[in-house]
């Protein structure tokens, strides 16, 4: 089945009818994210995320969202260890909310809590946290999940506004990153955008003042500073390629 929202395979609405007796066992494995090389990032996450990731922007129709770069090659997450652990101190909220997600109605006026039933922790043996009590009502665990996702959704809307402002100001320009492997192979990463420093300097004093008051100017400089982390991604890729070399190549 084609994955929904990058990492979700079988996300279905959480209901007492379908999920009575269902529990979710926690895990420190993030193996579900192995086949992604970028994920959305909320604006509120910039201060933590930009210390470890390269943060760029991606267009989705008329929307623009920040994303963290996890890899150069398609379907390769370089922040994922072979044993499924995450190789960074900060884990983006997009990853942390899994296996839960909100699904919106066509008119966008209501949200439904969903769970990816393909998550290996989903069980009917009572392992982990139950989704519903004997009374058929959501457990406190589900209440906490809802609180987290409601906050995530609120931050998502704020981030959409931030993206629209960047588009309106015309601050973005295409980004192209190229990495040369030890064997001389060149790998390119494109399709993303970054803020142009010259375009940022050319903004009027009034516009800059507005960006300062909204804390968005800080986000822009955090984004620009984060681009140095492409070196980390490159180093991780080169290390992975070295691990992939057969033993005979060492002669």
């Amino acid at each position: 089945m084609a994955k929904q929202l990058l990492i979700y395979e079988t996300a279905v609405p959480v209901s007492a009818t379908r999920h009575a007796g269902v529990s979710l066992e926690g895990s420190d494995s993030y193996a579900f994210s192995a086949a992604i090389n970028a994920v959305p990032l909320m604006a509120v996450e910039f201060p933590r995320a930009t210390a470890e990731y390269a943060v760029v922007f991606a267009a989705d129709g008329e929307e623009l969202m920040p994303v963290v770069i996890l890899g150069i090659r398609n379907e390769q997450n370089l922040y994922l260890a072979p044993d499924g652990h995450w190789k960074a101190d900060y884990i983006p909220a997009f990853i942390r909310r899994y296996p839960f997600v909100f699904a919106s109605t066509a008119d966008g006026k209501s949200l439904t809590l969903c769970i990816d039933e393909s998550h290996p922790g989903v069980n009917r043996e009572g392992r982990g946290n139950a989704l519903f009590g004997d009374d058929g009502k959501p457990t406190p665990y589900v209440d906490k999940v809802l609180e987290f996702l409601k906050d995530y959704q609120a931050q998502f809307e704020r981030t959409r506004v931030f993206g629209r402002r960047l588009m309106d100001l015309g601050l973005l320009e295409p980004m192209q990153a190229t990495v040369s492997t030890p064997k001389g192979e060149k790998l390119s990463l494109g399709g993303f955008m970054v803020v142009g420093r010259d375009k940022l300097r050319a903004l009027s004093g009034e516009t800059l003042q507005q960006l300062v008051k909204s804390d968005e100017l800080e986000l822009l400089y955090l984004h620009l500073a984060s681009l140095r982390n492409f070196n980390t991604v490159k180093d991780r890729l080169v290390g992975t390629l070295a691990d992939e070399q057969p033993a005979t190549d060492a002669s």
Side-chain angles (χ1 to χ4, degrees), residues 51-122:
E52 298 182 276
Y53 305 91
V55 176
V56 295
F57 296 90
D60 182 12
E62 296 183 356
E63 299 289 345
L64 182 80
M65 288 294 292
V67 299
V68 293
I69 299 298
L70 301 177
I72 303 295
R73 297 191 292 192
N74 289 332
E75 300 185 354
Q76 183 183 42
N77 179 359
L78 295 171
Y79 284 80
L80 183 69
D83 63 1
H85 285 78
W86 198 266
K87 298 193 295 183
D89 289 334
Y90 184 74
I91 303 173
F94 183 92
I95 298 292
R96 285 186 282 118
R97 68 178 180 168
Y98 185 82
F100 295 100
V101 66
F102 271 150
S104 62
T105 56
D107 58 11
K109 293 183 178 180
S110 63
L111 299 169
T112 300
L113 178 65
C114 296
I115 186 172
D116 187 349
E117 293 182 329
S118 70
H119 187 287
V122 174

Side-chain angles (χ1 to χ4, degrees), residues 141-208:
Y141 170 71
V142 172
D143 291 339
K144 289 182 179 179
V145 169
L146 283 169
E147 288 179 13
F148 177 82
L149 289 184
K150 287 177 181 178
D151 181 65
Y152 183 94
Q153 192 66 27
Q155 296 299 337
F156 177 79
E157 295 301 329
R158 180 201 169 192
T159 305
R160 287 176 62 186
V161 172
F162 173 54
R164 291 194 198 105
R165 190 187 302 276
L166 297 189
M167 295 182 74
D168 292 343
L169 293 174
L171 291 176
L172 299 165
E173 55 191 29
M175 179 216 76
Q176 185 75 31
T178 303
V179 174
S180 296
T181 70
K183 285 194 169 184
E185 179 186 6
K186 290 190 180 297
L187 301 175
S188 295
L189 179 69
F192 298 107
M193 292 175 283
V194 297
V195 170
R197 288 183 179 272
D198 290 340
K199 294 179 178 180
L200 184 57
R201 293 190 191 100
L203 291 177
S204 69
E206 181 180 356
T207 300
L208 286 171

